[in-house]
């Protein structure tokens, strides 16, 4: 219990708490958007194709975060701004589309409608930008860990807060069933609130992973003992 309390009150978790709360918040709102404006077969198609692009996007982020020519801190900074910019772009697009729908209800949009591409793509892309924010955070947490046990505790704390955000999002959207605009704006605001503490955290990212340094020191000590 002491270790759990220490983890939950650590600077790492406190600064990333809003990011964790926000990172899965999109799920409830964009699911409401999809269910409100699209036919059953259009929703089924989205379930088929969205995960494929998510896989591509996560590989792309992984490429950025694994660039060996940059320090760990620089990669963390680039990764953060990449994730934020992509999410902001999707949020703005979603708000624009919802504003149009509020002025004129499009009815049930099917995949052969002219409106399908422009209205579906915000949902399609958020299914990638959302998971990117989570993948990025787990990578960032590991950048601060001194051992596997600490990394597991940090990841569990992040997932706990993430689940709370997801539950709140779905609960909120049960009250705004016919207007996802509220959810879009709340999600956008949460990102804005999470950004400042995340920048503070990212700017303190070690240039090298502490766990790697500890492992190297242990290997050096072992070799020294074996050489005696």
């Amino acid at each position: 219990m002491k270790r759990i309390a220490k983890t939950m009150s650590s600077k790492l978790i406190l600064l990333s708490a809003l990011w964790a709360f926000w990172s899965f918040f999109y799920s409830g709102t964009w699911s409401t958007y999809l269910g409100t404006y699209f036919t059953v077969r259009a929703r089924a198609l989205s379930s088929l194709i969205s995960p494929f692009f998510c896989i591509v996007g996560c590989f792309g982020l992984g490429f950025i975060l694994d660039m060996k020519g940059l320090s760990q801190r620089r990669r963390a900074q680039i990764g953060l701004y990449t994730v934020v910019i992509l999410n902001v772009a999707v949020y703005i697009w979603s708000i624009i589309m919802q504003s149009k729908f509020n002025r004129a209800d499009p009815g049930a949009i099917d995949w052969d409608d002219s409106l399908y591409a422009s209205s579906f793509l915000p949902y399609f892309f958020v299914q990638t930008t959302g998971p990117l924010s989570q993948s990025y955070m787990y990578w960032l947490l590991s950048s601060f860990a001194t051992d596997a046990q600490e990394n597991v505790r940090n990841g569990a704390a992040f997932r706990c807060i993430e689940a709370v955000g997801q539950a709140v999002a779905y609960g909120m959207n049960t009250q705004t069933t016919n207007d996802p605009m509220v959810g879009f704006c709340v999600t956008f605001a949460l990102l804005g609130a999470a950004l400042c503490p995340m920048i503070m955290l990212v700017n303190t990212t070690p240039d090298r992973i502490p766990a790697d340094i500890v492992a190297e020191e242990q290997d050096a000590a072992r070799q020294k003992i074996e050489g005696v």
Side-chain angles (χ1 to χ4, degrees), residues 45-145:
L45 179 63
S46 75
S47 298
L48 175 66
I49 64 177
S50 296
F52 289 102
F53 193 72
C54 179
I55 293 171
V56 174
C58 287
F59 269 109
L61 179 63
F63 176 79
I64 293 173
L65 298 179
D66 286 340
M67 290 189 295
K68 301 302 181 184
L70 300 175
S71 69
Q72 193 81 355
R73 181 177 301 171
R74 182 60 65 191
R75 282 179 274 164
Q77 292 167 337
I78 294 173
L80 174 66
Y81 292 121
T82 299
V83 170
V84 169
I85 290 170
L86 291 175
N87 273 286
V88 167
V90 172
Y91 293 175
I92 292 173
W93 190 348
S94 300
I95 290 172
I96 291 172
M97 294 307 303
Q98 185 59 46
S99 297
K100 292 180 179 179
F101 293 165
N102 285 348
R103 290 194 298 269
D105 190 340
I109 302 170
D110 205 358
W111 64 39
D112 55 359
D113 293 340
S114 59
L115 191 59
Y116 176 75
S118 61
S119 57
F120 171 70
L121 284 176
Y123 175 86
F124 177 75
F125 286 127
V126 85
Q127 297 304 311
T128 295
T129 61
L132 285 182
S133 65
Q134 300 152 25
S135 298
Y136 169 77
M137 193 61 218
Y138 285 115
W139 175 88
L140 185 65
L141 291 175
S142 69
S143 298
F144 287 86

